[in-house]
Amino acid sequence: MNKPLELLAPARDKECAIAAINFGADAIYIGPPEFGARKNASNTLDDIKEVVDFAHKFFARVYVTLNTILRDDELDKVQKLLYKLYDIGVDGIIVQDFAIFKMDLPPFLISASTQCDIRDVKKAKFFEKIGLDRVILARELSIEDVREICKNTNIEIETFVHGALCVSYSGQCYLSCAIGGRSSNRGECAQPCRMKYSLVGESGKVYAKNKYLLSLKDFCAVNYLNDLINAGVASFKIEGRLKDKNYVKNVCAFYNIALGSRKRISSGKIFYDFVPDINKTFNRGYTNYFLDGKGKNIYNFDTPKHFGEKIGTVTNLGKDFLEIKTNVEINIQDGLCYFLNNDLKGFLVNKIVNKKNIVKIYPNVMPKIRVGTEIFRNLDFKYNKFLDNSKTRRKITVIFYLYNDRISVVDEDNIECSIKLNSLEIGNDCQKMKIVIDQQLKKSGDSDFYVEKVEFCCQKIPFFKISKINALRRELLKMLTDKRIDVYKEMCSKRVNKKISIAQFPLINNDYRLNMHNSLSKEFYLQCGVDCIQSSYETKRAKNAELMRTRHCLRRAFDICLKNGADTEKLFLINEKNKKFDLDFDCKNCEMVIREN
């Protein structure tokens, strides 16, 4: 519980990565050129190296997502990539495919991806026994579930705290592959859970028509951070490797502030010039999901899009304007939206006339709207522009010390650099010189350092030209930057090459859901006591396959729960192309299963 915590942020690219660290993250996870579970968020090795060099100045970590399942013809390329990543200084990798455990592994920190479907102590214990450093838990768990895993394992625990939710247990969803051949386990998910479906009974009864029945709200665990910390969680993960830079800035700042003054794995103080507000960045409404064990109010059947913050209601309509009753400041180029016939519609603000509590808005296109309609803002132009230009920076706190024979700088991690001073001349006005030295040494400017104070540890104040003071400051801070990198490399050098052990795998499903996609993963499974009969769903589609298992239950959502004595008729999902899927209900575990019809 007293270990330093980690706020882990997503990085679509190097700009997002640097923003994440500047705005509060202790670590980032980023996609490599290939084999990341977000195919559209890949990065060159040169860009990742640039991120590594920036992050390590602050003792922040860089994890690379090697979390797709792999084909046999890709294994050699992955093996070579592992050492390329190590050579550029990457701290760790996040993996799904067990083939990697059969490779020659450099001294990485290795995390088992949430796609490894880690829901209980047995599964977490398995990864601990084989020698991994961390497991990323399934998002469906309650605080009690998380506490139980932390209590009974000695492996680091990472949990998601914010962002989009997969409706299926991660790594166990084959719906995208079944519908269009795009595998989520290969980083190509087409997000069929964000599409429209109808819920119908065997009798023909329609419970819901053309609604987003598998679309969950976004996760927000900010009110449960203390519970997760007390449970023993080490790393708090923000979802969003496809999100833009402003999303990363806003959400990282929000959770960094929420974590307060607790000790963290990285160094530095963040100087914010804005107040974070997670309602102003992409979300589908927020839910704590199953953290409280209840799973209430977890879905949004009306839209999978960002509808933002409610700002008021329409009070009057004209030919080319509408009036909204609101206390919120609305700006030109804001994006406003509303629901019409169960679909989200929107427009931009071209012109505004303000009255008392009433705003007269001239939109770019006059919407089909009624008096009384609720209006939301999903683009706050002024806020986003401010984020675009924010001067927020992370800086490492330092103190300068002036001695009789040297000048030193010491940072918040007690790393020290000194320059010897020779033949010092004592000034005529020591007090005035002291003020000048103090002022000039504190001018850290656009550097990575913030000078907290200057300590004078000499009997008399020597005379310095201002140019000399500035030169000493620049040289010392450059020395300190280089030494911090050396200190971080020294810490990393103590890591040893990974030796993955063999342990009994806690078998639940001995079929395609093991995601065995290549010969090396099969070999590892066999060594761990699993007789793998079926290859991955992507290799060969299994008949009557379980395409998704989810704790989101449509029977519960529509108050037709079998536990409450509802009609037991068979239910189906039908998508907009009239493709039908069977629904099964595991009432013992409160789970819904989607199968191929």
Side-chain angles (χ1 to χ4, degrees):
M1 198 185 304
N2 295 321
K3 289 183 178 180
L5 304 177
E6 175 186 276
L7 179 61
L8 177 58
R12 182 176 68 184
D13 50 35
K14 68 180 181 183
E15 286 78 19
C16 285
I18 290 169
I21 293 165
N22 267 328
F23 281 68
D26 304 293
I28 62 100
Y29 59 105
I30 190 168
E34 296 178 89
F35 315 120
R38 294 290 183 271
K39 198 169 186 178
N40 294 327
S42 59
N43 294 271
T44 66
L45 292 178
D46 286 341
D47 282 353
I48 295 174
K49 175 70 166 66
E50 193 174 328
V51 171
V52 165
D53 291 344
F54 180 82
H56 288 177
K57 289 187 294 184
F58 301 98
F59 292 179
R61 294 176 183 171
V62 176
Y63 302 105
V64 167
T65 54
L66 280 168
N67 55 343
T68 60
I69 56 175
L70 307 167
R71 299 192 310 263
D72 275 307
D73 64 336
E74 295 171 328
L75 298 179
D76 285 344
K77 189 182 287 188
V78 172
Q79 175 66 85
K80 292 173 183 175
L81 178 60
L82 288 171
Y83 271 91
K84 288 178 182 177
L85 293 171
Y86 176 69
D87 288 342
I88 64 175
V90 165
D91 293 279
I93 54 174
I94 300 171
V95 303
Q96 177 187 11
D97 198 307
F98 285 18
I100 290 175
F101 303 151
K102 295 290 295 178
M103 295 182 182
D104 178 20
L105 296 172
F108 280 133
L109 299 170
I110 302 182
S111 301
S113 171
T114 190
Q115 290 163 278
C116 291
D117 189 28
I118 304 161
R119 312 181 207 174
D120 56 28
V121 172
K122 289 181 180 179
K123 197 76 170 283
K125 201 74 178 172
F126 166 76
F127 289 109
E128 178 186 329
K129 287 178 179 177
I130 67 172
L132 268 58
D133 299 278
R134 179 183 291 180
V135 292
I136 306 168
L137 300 184
R139 283 170 271 203
E140 290 79 1
L141 303 186
S142 68
I143 292 289
E144 290 304 315
D145 295 329
V146 174
R147 184 178 291 114
E148 181 72 9
I149 293 171
C150 291
K151 180 182 176 182
N152 292 284
T153 58
N154 291 310
I155 193 169
E156 274 194 354
I157 302 298
E158 179 181 310
T159 61
F160 282 89
V161 292
H162 193 89
L165 285 165
C166 291
V167 66
S168 171
Y169 286 105
S170 291
Q172 299 291 287
C173 185
Y174 310 96
L175 189 59
S176 175
C177 190
I179 292 175
R182 292 174 56 179
S183 166
S184 55
N185 284 318
R186 292 277 298 163
E188 300 169 335
C189 182
Q191 294 192 309
C193 54
R194 305 297 181 185
M195 305 300 180
K196 287 182 176 180
Y197 296 87
S198 295
L199 178 64
V200 299
E202 199 168 27
S203 64
K205 181 176 180 179
V206 178
Y207 293 90
K209 188 172 180 62
N210 291 333
K211 304 280 280 184
Y212 298 97
L213 297 178
L214 299 179
S215 183
L216 299 182
K217 292 181 177 180
D218 284 5
F219 194 36
C220 179
V222 68
N223 294 327
Y224 293 84
L225 290 180
N226 284 337
D227 295 315
L228 291 168
I229 291 167
N230 291 333
V233 173
S235 179
F236 302 87
K237 187 171 195 170
I238 298 165
E239 181 278 338
R241 275 200 300 121
L242 295 177
K243 298 294 196 303
D244 64 19
K245 187 164 60 175
N246 283 351
Y247 175 93
V248 170
K249 290 178 178 180
N250 195 17
V251 178
C252 283
F254 181 80
Y255 278 89
N256 180 56
I257 292 170
L259 285 170
S261 59
R262 295 178 178 90
K263 182 156 180 61
R264 310 273 279 281
I265 67 162
S266 67
S267 303
K269 177 181 178 183
I270 317 295
F271 293 84
Y272 292 110
D273 58 4
F274 76 108
V275 177
D277 184 347
I278 56 172
N279 293 310
K280 292 184 181 293
T281 44
F282 188 99
N283 70 87
R284 303 171 175 91
Y286 288 118
T287 174
N288 62 38
Y289 208 26
F290 285 92
L291 282 177
D292 60 3
K294 298 175 182 178
K296 292 184 178 179
N297 197 27
I298 65 174
Y299 50 80
N300 184 347
F301 293 162
D302 293 325
T303 182
K305 299 176 182 177
H306 170 47
F307 59 89
E309 53 188 338
K310 181 182 175 182
I311 61 170
T313 55
V314 176
T315 58
N316 188 28
L317 293 168
K319 182 180 178 182
D320 58 353
F321 71 86
L322 62 151
E323 292 183 343
I324 300 174
K325 184 178 181 180
T326 182
N327 294 317
V328 176
E329 178 188 355
I330 300 174
N331 301 289
I332 293 173
Q333 296 189 59
D334 276 358
L336 304 184
C337 57
Y338 60 98
F339 287 96
L340 176 67
N341 299 327
N342 298 320
D343 272 324
L344 191 67
K345 306 290 184 180
F347 56 88
L348 293 176
V349 176
N350 273 358
K351 180 182 174 183
I352 297 170
V353 178
N354 287 303
K355 302 177 184 178
K356 186 178 180 181
N357 294 330
I358 298 290
V359 179
K360 191 174 187 178
I361 294 172
Y362 293 85
N364 63 328
V365 176
M366 189 62 191
K368 296 177 180 178
I369 203 167
R370 298 174 181 174
V371 170
T373 300
E374 292 183 335
I375 299 294
F376 300 84
R377 176 166 58 189
N378 57 4
L379 172 60
D380 187 328
F381 179 79
K382 185 176 180 181
Y383 191 84
N384 274 278
K385 186 176 181 181
F386 193 92
L387 278 178
D388 281 335
N389 300 306
S390 173
K391 304 301 181 186
T392 293
R393 280 286 304 274
R394 178 190 290 255
K395 289 179 175 283
I396 299 156
T397 303
V398 298
I399 300 174
F400 279 103
Y401 294 90
L402 182 61
Y403 298 94
N404 291 323
D405 61 344
R406 72 185 190 280
I407 182 170
S408 299
V409 63
V410 180
D411 69 18
E412 61 190 75
D413 297 301
N414 291 318
I415 299 172
E416 182 176 1
C417 293
S418 297
I419 294 176
K420 188 175 177 59
L421 300 173
N422 298 312
S423 305
L424 293 177
E425 176 186 343
I426 303 303
N428 295 324
D429 190 340
C430 289
Q431 190 57 36
K432 183 177 179 181
M433 192 73 249
K434 186 175 182 179
I435 292 171
V436 171
I437 293 171
D438 184 83
Q439 288 175 340
Q440 295 306 310
L441 288 180
K442 285 182 176 177
K443 289 182 177 180
S444 54
D446 198 37
S447 74
D448 295 317
F449 300 97
Y450 162 71
V451 182
E452 184 177 66
K453 58 182 176 179
V454 178
E455 293 280 5
F456 293 88
C457 306
C458 46
Q459 295 173 343
K460 294 183 180 181
I461 306 300
F463 172 78
F464 290 101
K465 291 182 179 180
I466 289 178
S467 59
K468 178 63 175 178
I469 302 170
N470 292 338
L472 286 169
R473 183 194 67 239
R474 288 192 294 268
E475 186 176 355
L476 277 169
L477 293 182
K478 173 65 168 63
M479 289 169 63
L480 185 58
T481 298
D482 294 341
K483 191 168 183 179
R484 285 185 63 84
I485 295 293
D486 290 341
V487 168
Y488 192 85
K489 287 179 179 177
E490 176 79 18
M491 291 190 295
C492 293
S493 69
K494 295 176 182 178
R495 300 172 188 161
V496 296
N497 280 46
K498 285 292 176 187
K499 299 296 182 185
I500 299 298
S501 302
I502 299 300
Q504 182 67 40
F505 185 76
L507 186 63
I508 300 174
N509 304 308
N510 185 18
D511 58 21
Y512 61 92
R513 286 169 288 184
L514 291 174
N515 296 326
M516 189 192 67
H517 202 55
N518 58 68
S519 57
L520 276 188
S521 62
K522 181 176 182 178
E523 185 179 335
F524 192 80
Y525 271 122
L526 287 169
Q527 289 178 314
C528 292
V530 181
D531 184 11
C532 306
I533 298 172
Q534 283 188 323
S535 295
S536 64
Y537 181 86
E538 289 80 0
T539 303
K540 183 179 180 180
R541 295 190 181 186
K543 293 182 179 179
N544 195 33
E546 183 177 296
L547 299 179
M548 177 190 296
R549 180 174 287 264
T550 172
R551 292 196 71 183
H552 164 51
C553 179
L554 289 172
R555 279 193 173 275
R556 182 173 56 188
F558 287 95
D559 198 25
I560 48 175
C561 179
L562 295 175
K563 289 183 178 179
N564 297 331
D567 194 319
T568 59
E569 78 164 330
K570 181 73 176 172
L571 297 180
F572 303 93
L573 272 183
I574 302 176
N575 69 11
E576 290 184 284
K577 294 183 178 179
N578 212 34
K579 183 173 178 60
K580 183 186 284 189
F581 300 91
D582 294 341
L583 293 181
D584 293 337
F585 297 90
D586 181 350
C587 294
K588 179 182 177 181
N589 296 305
C590 275
E591 294 173 336
M592 181 177 74
V593 175
I594 300 177
R595 294 186 185 277
E596 287 186 294
N597 182 260

